[in-house]
Each structure stands twice: as C-alpha cells, then as structure tokens.
Amino acid sequence: MKKDEWLKISVSTLLLVAVLYLVYQIQGIFNPDYRTETAIYYQMSEKIEMTAAIVFEKQAVEGGGLLGYLAEDGERVHPGQLVAENYASAEQAQAQAQSRQLKKQIELLQNSGNVQGSDIGAITQQLEDGLYTLLTSLESDDYISAVNDFDKYLLAANKIQCLTEKSSGFNDQIAQLKVQMDLLSATIGTPTPIPSPASGYFIRNERAGVQLYSKEQIETASPTELQQLLAQPVGDVPSTVGQIVTDYRWAIYGTTDSALAQQLKTGQKLYLRLPEHDGIEFPIKVESIVTDREANLSKIKLSCENITPEALCLGIENVELIVNQYEGIRVPRSAEHIRTTTDETGELVEEYGVYVKLGRLMYFREITDKLYENEQYMLLSLEPQEGSRNEVQLYDEIVVEGIDLEDGKLI
C-alpha cells in the first residue's frame, strides 16, 4: 500500500471516530439517561375552589341609544353628576368625540409651555420613564394605558423643547386646534345629558358584572338552592346606561363540600383569588357558614371592602379562597424515593428523600418533613426546623427520571 493511500485511510478513520464521538455526545444531550428538575424557591397555596356570586348594592342608570360616557369606570360620582350623554346621530357622536380629543390636545400643549422653574434633569428623567412605561404597555397589549403613557411622554418631550429653546411655545398650534373645535360646535349641538341617580361608583353596563338574582334571594337560599342558582345559564342582560354601586362593601356567596368548609371559621380573614382575571386578589372576611349535612354541602358568605374598577366587573365567577400560603423549596413529587440503609447500630432503616445530581455524581438527600404538598410538588422549609434532617438545598438538580439510582454513583 502506498504511503499516500495509508495517510488517507488514517485521516478518514480519525474523522469517522470524531464524528461517532460527536453523535454520541449529541445523543446524550437530547436523550439523557437521567432527567432533572431544579429545586427552586416557590410559593404554594392551600385553597378552596368554588363558583360564587358577587353581589353589590347598586342602582341602575336608566337610558340607552347612542351613548358617550363622561364618567370613568370605577369613578366616584354624586347625585345629579353627568355620567353619560345620548346623541341623536352618529355624526353628533363623532363630532363630540373629536371635540373632546382636541380639548385634550390643547390642555397638553398648554401644560407643555409651563416650564418656569422646571429642572431639565428631572424632565429628562420623566421622558425616559415615560418611554419605558409606554413600551411596557405596548408589549403587554394594554393599549388603553398606552394612550395615557404616550401623552405623558409627549408632555415631557415638549417641555424639553421649550427648556432648550428649540421651541418658543405652542400658541399657534393651540389656536389652530381651537378653530377646529369651533367648526365642530354646530354639528355637536346639545346632546341629551344623563345624570347619576345616586351617590356611588359608576360602571358602564357592558362592563358591569351580571347579577342574576337579588341579594335577598341569594341571602335566603339554602346551600342546595344556591348551588342550583349558580349553575343556571346567564340570560339576557337588561339594557341600561350603567350601574351605580352605592356601597363600597360587597358580598360573595358560594358553595363547597362540607369537609372543605371545615377549614374556615366565621370572622376569619383571608384572600379571594380570581384565576380567570389575571389572578387578582382581594382581602375578604368569612361572614357565615351554613351547612346542609344531608347534602354534604356548605354555603359560604364572604365580604370585601375593597372597591375597584376590576371588582365592579365581577358577576358569577370561579374563585379560590386562599386558606394558607407557604413559601419554601419546591421539589417534584415524581422524584421521591425510599431507600434502605443501616444506622450506627447496624439496624436496617428506611429513609425517605430524593436523589440529586452534582456534577457527574449522584447523591441521596433525606427529607424528614414538609411544609405543604399537592399531587405534583412538595414544599420544604428554607430554614429547617429543630430536629429536621431535610438535606435538599435551593437549586439542587433533583433527579426526576432515571434508572439504577444510588448514593455516590458516577453518572
């Protein structure tokens, strides 16, 4: 065999070995013998899930037609205050909307020129903060907030123009906008005003929570009757301008198994979580518990004193009562093992725990007590109590899948 041919064969062999080794390594990465999950800091809740009716003391704002709203959702209003107006035509409604927008622009430009005593460093910081807030709102698809965020950004930018003398003011632009407002006046005419009938918190009809039954009906219903009421489909919602919630206190009525209701007691304070509304939480108080032992069902009445625009939108909701909340090291239940070993006296003993991966070695970590657990995870204390032998540490790589697990084994 010639020297050149021998060299080619040698090089080809080396390349083949290198390729096979690379394939082996890739196979190990994408198909590992052991699968791990990191033990992380986590919060877990002991909760009671139920369907509930949110009940407000409220009064309807009668009216309908082509509406324009003058009060914001959740705004505190007084009797006689205009909350909306009715338009005779779409042209009148459009002209009024344009006129309000022009007025808003004029006010922004007037504020932009008011820079006496302003610090350019502070205004520059407002500009940067405004841009960051605007981008955050756009990224989260919160376009309603984005409009207000843009106005704040524009206000800061205009003030910097005046402070750096790149603009002498905005009088010309304001004059032009006022001319446009005057041209719209004839089309706007006089819309029909709609006042608030009572003092309270305003919410538009299309955003108000559906309250199917009166407070008296729900208050007097037995646990079984309430469960049946909550299971009925929502019918047609009466057409009104909106609602005035006349009391900042509101009630929550729901049903749950009697065994779960035993975790609650009258006067207890806890939190109500709304998983279908971005997990928003409200502080609540347990007002009463009525139990039907034959039906194994309990009726729970709760109260809340936090009135917000989000609360006013609630009706029949799936809710979670947070009975207890824990924080600690989260460990997957799929990783738990019991191993048999010998103690100092030579006696066989069983130890409960998990295996962790440290570098290329595997170790057994004993667990003697837990803060809380559900079907998927257990939660261990960040600071083990006296007498505890919990050995799992934060950020340990817990082995959740593998074969031939053994303390001290080389992986």
Side-chain angles (χ1 to χ4, degrees):
M1 183 180 294
K2 294 182 180 180
K3 185 176 180 180
D4 290 346
E5 293 177 351
W6 173 255
L7 182 61
K8 289 180 180 179
I9 293 174
S10 299
V11 171
S12 299
T13 302
L14 289 173
L15 288 174
L16 179 60
V17 170
V19 169
L20 290 175
Y21 178 76
L22 182 60
V23 170
Y24 173 78
Q25 293 293 328
I26 293 174
Q27 183 74 11
I29 292 172
F30 289 100
N31 298 283
D33 294 330
Y34 301 94
R35 187 170 64 86
T36 64
E37 184 174 330
T38 304
I40 61 172
Y41 167 80
Y42 201 74
Q43 291 184 334
M44 295 176 70
S45 301
E46 188 175 357
K47 60 192 178 184
I48 297 174
E49 298 177 350
M50 64 183 188
T51 301
I54 314 300
V55 179
F56 299 97
E57 295 282 359
K58 59 185 181 180
Q59 186 172 339
V61 181
E62 301 296 342
L66 194 57
L67 300 173
Y69 289 97
L70 306 178
E72 300 289 336
D73 289 326
E75 182 179 338
R76 176 79 174 172
V77 298
H78 54 79
Q81 179 179 337
L82 298 186
V83 294
E85 53 191 11
N86 182 279
Y87 304 116
S89 66
E91 291 76 17
Q92 186 185 34
Q94 185 177 11
Q96 182 71 302
Q98 291 175 348
S99 178
R100 288 204 182 95
Q101 185 61 35
L102 291 172
K103 182 180 179 181
K104 186 177 179 181
Q105 292 179 29
I106 290 172
E107 290 174 351
L108 188 145
L109 290 173
Q110 288 173 337
N111 290 333
S112 297
N114 184 20
V115 295
Q116 187 174 2
S118 299
D119 178 64
I120 191 168
I123 302 298
T124 302
Q125 186 62 51
Q126 292 175 15
L127 180 71
E128 294 175 358
D129 293 343
L131 179 59
Y132 176 79
T133 305
L134 172 62
L135 293 175
T136 301
S137 297
L138 291 173
E139 187 175 353
S140 59
D141 297 332
D142 186 1
Y143 299 113
I144 294 176
S145 297
V147 173
N148 295 326
D149 296 336
F150 177 74
D151 287 344
K152 292 177 183 178
Y153 171 77
L154 185 59
L155 177 62
N158 287 345
K159 285 190 173 185
I160 289 177
Q161 292 284 320
C162 294
L163 286 169
T164 57
E165 298 183 352
K166 292 183 178 179
S167 173
S168 58
F170 305 96
N171 292 333
D172 291 343
Q173 294 96 315
I174 291 172
Q176 293 174 7
L177 293 174
K178 286 182 176 180
V179 169
Q180 295 179 44
M181 285 187 66
D182 292 340
L183 294 174
L184 290 170
S185 297
T187 306
I188 294 172
T190 308
T192 302
I194 301 175
S196 170
S199 176
Y201 304 89
F202 175 76
I203 183 77
R204 286 174 288 169
N205 190 62
E206 62 266 26
R207 293 203 63 204
V210 177
Q211 189 168 313
L212 298 175
Y213 316 103
S214 68
K215 182 177 179 180
E216 290 72 22
Q217 284 178 293
I218 294 181
E219 184 73 43
T220 58
S222 69
T224 302
E225 290 170 342
L226 177 59
Q227 186 181 55
Q228 293 171 349
L229 287 175
L230 295 176
Q232 293 183 17
V234 177
D236 294 332
V237 180
S239 178
T240 61
V241 173
Q243 305 285 341
I244 303 296
V245 174
T246 57
D247 195 340
Y248 66 89
R249 290 177 291 264
W250 44 284
I252 305 102
Y253 296 84
T255 61
T256 187
D257 291 342
S258 297
L260 293 175
Q262 290 179 3
Q263 302 176 67
L264 305 174
K265 60 182 180 180
T266 303
Q268 181 179 1
K269 294 182 179 180
L270 55 154
Y271 280 89
L272 177 81
R273 179 183 294 159
L274 298 158
E276 296 175 359
H277 294 269
D278 299 324
I280 188 172
E281 295 184 356
F282 291 96
I284 57 173
K285 179 182 177 183
V286 179
E287 294 291 342
S288 66
I289 304 171
V290 178
T291 299
D292 183 340
R293 299 192 183 281
E294 291 185 4
N296 191 31
L297 194 66
S298 292
K299 172 185 174 182
I300 313 296
K301 178 185 177 181
L302 311 158
S303 65
C304 182
E305 296 185 356
N306 281 35
I307 195 78
T308 66
E310 292 80 12
L312 296 174
C313 298
L314 302 178
I316 307 298
E317 307 289 343
N318 292 320
V319 303
E320 298 173 351
L321 306 185
I322 309 303
V323 180
N324 288 302
Q325 192 141 331
Y326 308 92
E327 56 182 30
I329 303 172
R330 192 185 72 174
V331 176
R333 289 283 303 276
S334 58
E336 57 189 3
H337 290 276
I338 297 176
R339 71 164 185 170
T340 302
T341 185
T342 56
D343 61 12
E344 301 83 7
T345 63
E347 294 290 331
L348 289 177
V349 294
E350 288 186 340
E351 292 181 343
Y352 171 80
V354 297
Y355 287 92
V356 303
K357 179 177 175 290
L358 184 60
R360 300 294 295 176
L361 291 172
M362 180 189 304
Y363 295 98
F364 184 81
R365 296 282 190 254
E366 188 177 6
I367 296 172
T368 58
D369 49 67
K370 310 169 187 176
L371 284 175
Y372 181 70
E373 64 181 340
N374 56 25
E375 294 180 357
Q376 293 81 32
Y377 292 98
M378 66 182 86
L379 206 64
L380 310 181
S381 176
L382 290 166
E383 298 180 0
Q385 303 299 314
E386 184 177 352
S388 170
R389 297 196 307 275
N390 283 345
E391 297 175 337
V392 177
Q393 299 179 8
L394 204 58
Y395 308 122
D396 274 348
E397 289 296 317
I398 310 295
V399 178
V400 295
E401 190 176 296
I403 57 174
D404 299 327
L405 304 183
E406 184 181 343
D407 185 45
K409 181 179 178 180
L410 180 66
I411 301 176

